[in-house]
Amino acid sequence: MKIVLLSGGSGKRLWPLSNNARSKQFLPLLNKPGGGMESMLQRVVRQIFEARLTESITIATNASQRDIIINQLGELTDIVTEPERRDTFDTVRTMAQVLKSGTADMVLMGITPTYPSTKFGYVIPEPSTQSGCAGAEQNGNPNRAGALKVKRFTEKPSVEKAEGLLSEGALWNGGIFAFKLGYMTGILRKYINTDSFEEVFRNYGKLPKISFDYEVAEKAQSVAVVPYNGEWKDLGTWNALTAALDYHTLGNATLGPDCTNVHAINELNIPLFVNGIDNAIVAASPDGILVCDKEKSEALKSFVDPIATRPMYEERRWGTYRVLDNTVMEDGVHSLTKIITLKAGKSISYQLHNHRSETWNIIEGEGVLVLNGEVRKVKRGDVVTIPCGYKHTIKAYTQLSFVEVQLGRLLTEDDIDRFDFDWSLVDNR
């Protein structure tokens, strides 16, 4: 069995910790066995390997999330990026068994609802008096049930309609699908008639801009659903996420004695103190500060767009950066100050900028700098000046941090030309 995880999202419901570069699945907010914190992505990958479901995981994502996935997972998974946007484990084994039995062309996981939610799509199965279909024995596990034929789908209904759906035995659509590869490639050939991945990538824009549910699942002629009766939580809002946390403060945050059901999460270096409020989420990051009643946090997405700025913190394949200051002078010159941290052994690309100069102040670690072909070692206390148009790269021997000050009239992340560079020519000196 090959497992493909879909990673996307625009990072608005958990603002200010999440942003366009760091969606909710990348936030290190969950306690890890043995100590430390992990993100939702790290947890699900760890659990898949621990359950021995597969030795091959592929993550399908957009190009902007490739670096953060590499930073969090290293070489644990393969990554496939889409060139443009097109808008639990025992049960997973059962889904694979149903496919092998030939019961259906596609099998999905249906979550047994706990309330008439308006946030989920619903799967309405055909009435069945049997406990399951071939290949879906329960084997004594309460979280495994037989596969049911799907009657129809309904997308995010009103509360009243959801209540009616529950009376029909409807399940939440968990967005987890199983199918044989040949079935999916057959659908793909309707739009791009090829078996070549490279050809599909080049012609990706020919695919309809529509969700997988609408284009594939709801059009399938033979669909089965395997009910999952265990615990299921959608951690997509602050209200839901904080209910699943086993702590109330994270980072440099303190709660006073007159707080009830308050969570405070602080990614800033300055202290955060909260007192005298109830049922609230207080979150601080370089992107902003949120103080919100938990019940009202589900509407946060609609307010973020007008106030959100460029991402002020990002994880990259080589490490992280945090924006410290972003200022436009009276004469129109723009300055942007970052603190950049490279992991030991990692390097940035060999690059140049057409609209800005940079000054680097090395504050931690040791490494090697290449500036317009000249190579020199750098360490704490060194200052590097990079004029506009100069090619440059840096590699960390140990964890290396430096303060970068950009100056120019146009400061954008896409002002970058990259070039090939062979580090072995430097490392072997």
Side-chain angles (χ1 to χ4, degrees), residues 147-209:
L148 304 170
K149 290 185 177 180
V150 172
K151 181 179 180 181
R152 71 179 192 275
F153 295 87
T154 296
E155 273 302 305
K156 297 179 181 177
S158 64
V159 173
E160 293 76 15
K161 190 170 183 180
E163 290 173 343
L165 291 172
L166 297 188
S167 67
E168 295 184 58
L171 304 166
W172 288 336
N173 185 350
I176 300 175
F177 303 89
F179 47 82
K180 292 183 177 179
L181 181 61
Y183 175 75
M184 193 56 56
T185 55
I187 296 174
L188 179 64
R189 288 193 188 97
K190 294 192 303 181
Y191 305 98
I192 308 172
N193 190 18
T194 182
D195 291 323
S196 165
F197 173 81
E198 291 75 15
E199 190 69 18
V200 172
F201 193 88
R202 283 194 296 270
N203 292 278
Y204 198 77
K206 294 181 179 179
L207 298 177
K209 197 170 184 178

Side-chain angles (χ1 to χ4, degrees), residues 98-107 149 178 180 222-225:
V98 173
L99 275 180
K100 290 178 181 178
S101 73
T103 301
D105 294 328
M106 175 176 291
V107 183
K149 290 185 177 180
K180 292 183 177 179
S222 176
V223 188
V225 59

Side-chain angles (χ1 to χ4, degrees), residues 38-86:
E38 64 184 352
S39 67
M40 298 179 202
L41 175 68
Q42 290 169 322
R43 173 168 289 187
V44 73
V45 169
R46 173 176 59 79
Q47 290 175 333
I48 288 173
F49 284 133
E50 288 176 351
R52 298 181 180 178
L53 289 178
T54 181
E55 294 182 355
S56 173
I57 298 176
T58 298
I59 298 180
T61 186
N62 54 62
S64 66
Q65 293 186 358
R66 180 182 179 86
D67 272 14
I68 193 170
I69 292 172
I70 294 173
N71 189 52
Q72 292 200 356
L73 299 179
E75 304 298 322
L76 287 176
T77 65
D78 296 321
I79 301 174
V80 175
T81 58
E82 56 180 4
E84 56 184 288
R85 294 185 66 175
R86 318 301 297 152

Side-chain angles (χ1 to χ4, degrees), residues 352-382:
L352 67 78
H353 310 294
N354 295 293
H355 302 285
R356 70 175 185 255
S357 63
E358 295 180 348
T359 301
W360 295 352
N361 189 338
I362 312 298
I363 60 174
E364 177 192 18
E366 297 181 350
V368 60
L369 169 78
V370 181
L371 181 59
N372 255 23
E374 294 186 6
V375 180
R376 68 180 175 98
K377 292 182 178 179
V378 291
K379 63 183 185 307
R380 175 184 288 165
D382 289 344

